[in-house]
Amino acid sequence: MRILAVESSCDETAMAVVEDGRRVLSQAIASQIDIHALYGGVVPEIASREHVLALDPLLDQVLPQGETVDAVAVTFGPGLVGALLTGVSWAKGFAYARGLPLIPVNHIEGHVSANYIAHPSLEPPFVCLVASGGHSHIVRVDDYGSYTLLGQTADDAAGEAFDKAARVIGIPYPGGPLLDRLAEQGDDQAYHFPRAHVKGKYDYSFSGVKTAVINETHRLKQMGQEIRREDFAASFRRAVVDMLVEKAVAAAVDSGAGKLALSGGVAANQLLRREARERGERAGLAVYMPPVSLCTDNAAMIGSAAYYRYLKGELAPLSLNAQPSLRLIGQE
């Protein structure tokens, strides 16, 4: 089954054709990073307008004239409402014009499903760490499209904390990936940042470490001391990654599934990838993660998630609307 998938939840316009949920036949992404870098972050109205301009040209790239697909899938939440609406509206029009079934996909489920493309032999059950700019969850994937929430952040998401820390030490947008690159050159023991201890066994909190970064930069400036940005970035990254990996590995071990997967934009972090593999395998887990290209927003992951939703008969009417606050657990 060939599915044309559309993703437009934030500032990347993406389209792909995915076969049977596991094989990417074609894909393309129109990035807006250079545009939003001028403003230091994503401007929703600009993002929406850029999606409108990008969608038709992307179709020409992934589905040459004369080729057909069996269904169309689209991200309908969570995300920026205007950005989501552009993709949803386009997908509804395409489905109507070609008489195709329309498959609604949760963006977070898409991130989890990127692992199915990267690892064709991977099957549920397994535990997955979902870490991105807006989400930090640990979920048990009980079956395709079926999840149990094990832990989540009580405040900031990990990706949000990375972006805020980057801004504090003068790293331009997009902060998280650039901080990661800078941290590779630094000493991660040079500064001490706290690791939060929260009530839930697998829950997170990143507001404390974010505040510690702000306070430490103010203290150093008041004392006239130079901030060693490479060491600062490395020490902060170490604190966040330690928290992410410790609880994700513990949840995977306790679940008995024996498998841990990573997903989301933060899964592209180099230290997180190294530590998750090393600590996970030391704990006896099989560790899975998508390539970096499938960690950030893309349409291939949406096409993978859509296939399993289609098998369950979960189609959308043409009245489908964007749901910017859509949840992965209890979305119905």
Side-chain angles (χ1 to χ4, degrees):
M1 181 180 183
R2 291 157 50 99
I3 296 175
L4 175 70
V6 181
E7 156 64 29
S8 67
S9 62
C10 189
D11 63 334
E12 307 276 38
T13 320
M15 204 172 286
V17 176
V18 180
E19 184 177 73
D20 295 339
R22 299 279 180 163
R23 183 181 174 212
V24 181
L25 302 181
S26 61
Q27 64 176 322
I29 298 178
S31 176
Q32 300 179 21
I33 286 179
D34 291 344
I35 295 171
H36 298 289
L38 298 172
Y39 306 96
V42 177
V43 181
E45 176 64 20
I46 294 176
S48 301
R49 291 176 182 273
E50 290 297 318
H51 289 313
V52 172
L53 296 174
L55 284 163
D56 282 347
L58 286 179
L59 178 66
D60 294 336
Q61 293 182 51
V62 303
L63 193 69
Q65 286 189 357
E67 293 193 9
T68 61
V69 291
D70 303 299
V72 58
V74 64
T75 302
F76 75 113
L80 301 174
V81 63
L84 289 166
L85 279 169
T86 60
V88 168
S89 298
W90 189 95
K92 290 196 295 185
F94 186 88
Y96 177 75
R98 299 208 179 186
L100 297 174
L102 177 66
I103 310 169
V105 176
N106 183 306
H107 178 77
I108 304 306
E109 183 171 41
H111 277 303
V112 174
S113 302
N115 284 286
Y116 298 139
I117 293 172
H119 307 284
S121 63
L122 176 63
E123 295 182 349
F126 59 91
V127 167
C128 188
L129 169 65
V130 182
S132 67
H135 307 272
S136 291
H137 296 77
I138 301 174
V139 299
R140 186 175 68 242
V141 183
D142 303 308
D143 197 356
Y144 297 107
S146 178
Y147 307 91
T148 299
L149 179 66
L150 302 179
Q152 61 185 326
T153 181
D155 37 60
D156 293 350
E160 182 183 2
F162 272 118
D163 287 339
K164 289 181 178 178
R167 192 175 301 121
V168 167
I169 60 174
I171 298 176
Y173 174 87
L178 297 179
L179 184 146
D180 183 37
R181 205 173 305 161
L182 185 66
E184 288 290 295
Q185 308 166 30
D187 174 8
D188 63 11
Q189 301 300 312
Y191 298 93
H192 175 73
F193 295 116
R195 278 70 165 165
H197 297 281
V198 294
K199 186 176 181 180
K201 186 175 182 181
Y202 309 122
D203 288 339
Y204 295 115
S205 173
F206 298 107
S207 64
V209 68
K210 178 197 69 177
T211 301
V213 166
I214 296 172
N215 291 341
E216 182 65 6
T217 55
H218 288 167
R219 186 186 71 83
L220 292 172
K221 288 178 181 178
Q222 289 171 356
M223 295 178 65
Q225 295 183 14
E226 178 187 1
I227 298 175
R228 303 186 304 279
R229 294 205 311 164
E230 294 86 350
D231 295 345
F232 208 92
S235 299
F236 175 79
R237 182 180 70 165
R238 168 60 67 179
V240 173
V241 167
D242 281 350
M243 288 187 279
L244 286 172
V245 173
E246 178 184 355
K247 296 200 172 186
V249 168
V253 170
D254 294 346
S255 75
K259 293 176 282 189
L260 172 65
L262 305 185
S263 66
V266 178
N269 184 279
Q270 298 172 79
L271 181 64
L272 176 59
R273 297 172 75 86
R274 292 194 297 265
E275 290 292 309
R277 186 168 299 284
E278 180 180 332
R279 297 193 210 179
E281 291 179 350
R282 193 188 311 149
L285 300 171
V287 180
Y288 301 86
M289 59 190 78
V292 171
S293 62
L294 290 179
C295 291
T296 51
D297 292 352
N298 64 88
M301 67 184 194
I302 303 303
S304 177
Y307 174 72
Y308 297 103
R309 289 290 174 185
Y310 179 85
L311 293 181
K312 292 184 175 185
E314 297 180 6
L315 305 179
L318 291 178
S319 58
L320 177 70
N321 201 0
Q323 295 187 29
S325 299
L326 183 67
R327 299 179 62 181
L328 177 63
I329 312 297
Q331 60 181 286
E332 287 80 16

